[in-house]
Amino acid sequence: MRKLNMVIHAKDRKSHISPEIYGHFSEHLGRCIYNGIYVGTDSKIPNKNGIRTDVLEAFRQIHMPVLRWPGGCFADEYHWMDGIGEKTERRKMINTNWGAVTEDNSFGTHEFFELCEEIGCAPYLAVNLGSGTVREMAEWIEYITCDGDSPMANLRRKNGREKPWKLKYVGIGNESWGCGGSMRPEYYADEYRRYQSFCKNFSGNELYKIACGPNGGDFDWTDKLMANLNEYHTKAISLHYYTIPTNNWNAKGSALDFDEEEYYSTIFNTLYMDELIEQHCAVMSRHDHAHKIGLIVDEWGCWYDVEPGTHPGFLYQQNTMRDAIVAACNLNIFNHHSDRVVMANLAQAVNVLQALILTEGEKMVKTPTYHVFDLYQGHHDGELVYSFCEESMVGKTNRIPMISHSASVKDHVLTVTIANCAIDDEAEIFCAVNGMRAESADVRLLTGDCHAHNDFDFPERVTIRPHSAVLSADGFTVKIPPCSVVLLTLR
Ligand code: AHR
């Protein structure tokens, strides 16, 4: 057991935590959309207009604030007109990025916007800059948002939707440095400037335009891109960073079968997110002194080798308490950077990479990662406050701080989230809370061996349970088992 001191200044407000930091991502990849989110109206699996009701309910429970779609790499080969109108007449295509399977386009614009309406979340559209045209993109925006007598608005009406939808977030190109067109930053910046000029605000709708930012530590991309952007045509740039235990894309490591060293290398690699954000923000600040342009981490999470026996192009992987620790650490990092990080989107929502939800036929399980998003809901729209924990390192080769934490205040309620990243050491934390005298503490815990996971036979092996803390005049004391995430809600 390690005894550690922590301190929170409940009145020292740092920045506003956008709920969109708790956002998600759904791509036409493997079983994310088809069979994961969308089963079609003829399915025996309970659904609402083809959308699985169990998945819908799970998304609602965590108050999913925003959902990115249709990719990923898929976005830059997606032609939206193929996904509207009578389903039987929709043009099919080959999903060249993900398994070369036939995409029948039965899930398209109407289905996505209906999904977002049902969840109650904001849609985030990734538009095709790589293989699409400016006109195609402009017409998509008109189709979605125009209320007037226009060709695209009338086409939407013909397809059954009278009123336009609201659309705020528009990402122009995905990974334009890679699958989105292998562009150089100068070239992409010019293309971005051209495309964004034709993203129009129809009928009172206001777009929030997002440029394709860097891959991991590519600071040169950020520098050259930012040199060509301004606050008038760009609200944010994106960042993609995936956690790979081995640092080797050809043998990334297994989701379930890993040793202590690989556990720590995973957490070590995930904590690099903090440095990445700091450094990219420093580069951004050189061009944008007033910090008008935000950073959106619109793809993050663990990427392992696919589950043995599954389609290599479908990126299906299991999800353990190790992933829960990864999620907790990243969300704490985003909270700490909420002055610049305005949105983040976990990759991906269902059946792909570090998924919230896994499905098999009519069965569904919530992963440990899902439960972390559930635990962290108190931070949505909160004000980040100062928190500090004394450092205590764990791990042999890859040394990491034992504790990851963040704290926020909303409506006089203090939300504190703490992860104990140690694989086998319990932590006893005494936390002094200044600026607030808590009368009660509701404490919840997610814990388990680092390999613990939920599957279709044991869907509740890892789940949130009540926990306790001792309140005192100065703050609280809480014991946190190894490999755990704890939420304290102090009133
Ligand atoms: O999330 C899987 C893929 O990872 C996305 O399609 C792409 O943007 C990234 O390389």
Side-chain angles (χ1 to χ4, degrees):
M1 154 104 71
R2 297 194 194 184
K3 294 190 176 206
L4 298 171
N5 289 304
M6 192 172 157
V7 64
I8 293 172
H9 294 308
K11 289 218 159 84
D12 187 359
R13 314 252 162 136
K14 300 285 177 198
S15 47
H16 183 75
I17 300 176
S18 314
E20 286 77 15
I21 281 179
Y22 294 84
H24 294 276
F25 170 37
S26 56
E27 181 167 10
H28 288 239
L29 192 180
R31 295 186 303 114
C32 181
I33 298 292
Y34 300 112
N35 293 317
I37 291 173
Y38 186 76
V39 286
T41 44
D42 294 339
S43 174
K44 290 200 184 79
I45 298 170
N47 66 82
K48 183 160 188 205
N49 282 341
I51 302 166
R52 286 183 74 127
T53 44
D54 52 358
V55 170
L56 203 51
E57 195 41 45
F59 287 173
R60 285 179 184 143
Q61 274 171 22
I62 55 168
H63 294 98
M64 182 179 279
V66 59
L67 186 61
R68 181 171 180 249
W69 175 83
C73 296
F74 181 79
D76 278 300
E77 63 176 11
Y78 183 62
H79 300 285
W80 69 273
M81 284 231 186
D82 297 345
I84 55 170
E86 189 53 51
K87 285 193 202 257
T88 51
E89 283 163 28
R90 292 189 190 178
R91 186 171 176 269
K92 295 189 169 74
M93 65 180 280
I94 299 294
N95 189 335
T96 61
N97 285 289
W98 308 117
V101 293
T102 299
E103 160 68 58
D104 70 2
N105 276 309
S106 55
F107 187 92
T109 304
H110 289 250
E111 291 76 15
F112 174 65
F113 277 84
E114 186 178 334
L115 169 67
C116 292
E117 280 182 341
E118 287 292 339
I119 300 169
C121 76
Y124 172 7
L125 226 55
V127 303
N128 183 347
L129 176 139
S131 71
T133 63
V134 169
R135 177 176 179 175
E136 191 181 352
M137 178 205 65
E139 288 188 339
W140 199 10
I141 293 166
E142 180 188 325
Y143 185 90
I144 293 166
T145 59
C146 182
D147 203 10
D149 179 14
S150 86
M152 289 302 117
N154 290 334
L155 181 59
R156 184 194 67 238
R157 291 187 186 103
K158 186 170 154 257
N159 288 331
R161 172 80 187 195
E162 178 57 35
K163 284 278 143 210
W165 293 283
K166 280 285 171 211
L167 171 66
K168 182 173 175 187
Y169 301 110
V170 176
I172 303 177
N174 169 75
E175 299 195 348
S176 304
W177 34 261
C179 65
S182 298
M183 298 175 196
R184 289 170 295 107
E186 298 87 346
Y187 179 79
Y188 169 75
D190 282 346
E191 283 291 274
Y192 170 82
R193 289 167 64 113
R194 185 165 73 102
Y195 271 69
Q196 71 76 31
S197 307
F198 301 94
C199 291
K200 305 286 183 186
N201 288 329
F202 290 99
S203 314
N205 185 72
E206 264 193 53
L207 298 173
Y208 182 106
K209 293 179 256 184
I210 301 156
C212 168
N215 176 22
D218 186 352
F219 302 107
D220 183 55
W221 180 280
T222 303
D223 194 35
K224 292 188 168 131
L225 177 65
M226 287 296 295
N228 287 290
L229 301 184
N230 67 49
E231 73 205 66
Y232 302 108
H233 56 49
T234 311
K235 291 286 184 221
I237 68 166
S238 61
L239 162 68
H240 288 185
Y241 173 61
Y242 283 98
T243 300
I244 291 158
T246 59
N247 296 319
N248 176 359
W249 278 91
N250 296 320
K252 297 180 270 297
S254 157
L256 289 177
D257 186 14
F258 55 89
D259 60 15
E260 182 171 331
E261 208 39 57
E262 207 162 294
Y263 168 87
Y264 281 116
S265 68
T266 309
I267 312 302
F268 182 88
N269 288 346
T270 222
L271 293 174
Y272 178 51
M273 180 68 87
D274 191 40
E275 194 181 322
L276 269 181
I277 292 173
E278 273 193 14
Q279 294 193 15
H280 282 296
C281 286
V283 175
M284 289 168 72
S285 299
R286 290 212 292 264
H287 303 276
D288 169 31
H289 308 288
H291 298 176
K292 298 274 189 196
I293 298 179
L295 184 65
I296 292 183
V297 189
D298 63 16
E299 288 187 31
W300 68 273
C302 284
W303 193 323
Y304 307 122
D305 296 332
V306 299
E307 282 304 305
T310 65
H311 193 304
F314 283 10
L315 311 187
Y316 177 80
Q317 63 190 40
Q318 249 295 355
N319 194 296
T320 65
M321 271 306 297
R322 172 177 62 165
D323 296 87
I325 297 293
V326 163
C329 289
N330 278 285
L331 294 173
N332 286 334
I333 290 170
F334 299 150
N335 284 347
H336 283 292
H337 289 288
S338 49
D339 57 333
R340 307 295 296 277
V341 175
V342 290
M343 189 199 294
N345 307 75
L346 177 71
Q348 297 193 6
V350 185
N351 290 333
V352 170
L353 300 178
Q354 190 175 345
L356 289 176
I357 284 169
L358 303 177
T359 66
E360 195 177 82
E362 60 187 359
K363 295 184 183 163
M364 180 200 96
V365 296
K366 294 171 177 170
T367 64
T369 297
Y370 175 93
H371 293 302
V372 174
F373 277 83
D374 195 356
L375 282 178
Y376 275 57
Q377 291 193 57
H379 288 307
H380 295 200
D381 258 332
E383 300 300 317
L384 178 79
V385 295
Y386 176 87
S387 61
F388 172 82
C389 185
E390 74 176 285
E391 197 167 81
S392 180
M393 302 300 278
V394 290
K396 290 193 187 84
T397 318
N398 291 288
R399 305 277 292 157
I400 57 160
M402 183 178 188
I403 299 298
S404 158
H405 58 90
S406 64
S408 68
V409 172
K410 187 173 66 183
D411 300 333
H412 308 290
V413 176
L414 176 63
T415 298
V416 185
T417 47
I418 309 175
N420 177 359
C421 305
I423 218 165
D424 49 16
D425 252 339
E426 188 180 25
E428 184 180 67
I429 295 190
F430 166 67
C431 181
V433 178
N434 299 325
M436 173 183 177
R437 172 78 202 258
E439 303 289 338
S440 72
D442 181 56
V443 191
R444 307 270 144 174
L445 178 73
L446 187 71
T447 190
D449 174 82
C450 62
H451 298 96
H453 59 280
N454 294 330
D455 56 31
F456 301 102
D457 295 326
F458 298 98
E460 302 271 312
R461 211 187 265 127
V462 181
T463 193
I464 298 171
R465 302 187 195 285
H467 193 54
S468 59
V470 178
L471 282 182
S472 62
D474 310 341
F476 62 85
T477 304
V478 64
K479 286 186 179 163
I480 312 181
C483 201
S484 302
V485 186
V486 74
L487 159 73
L488 297 105
T489 308
L490 299 158
R491 292 185 165 84

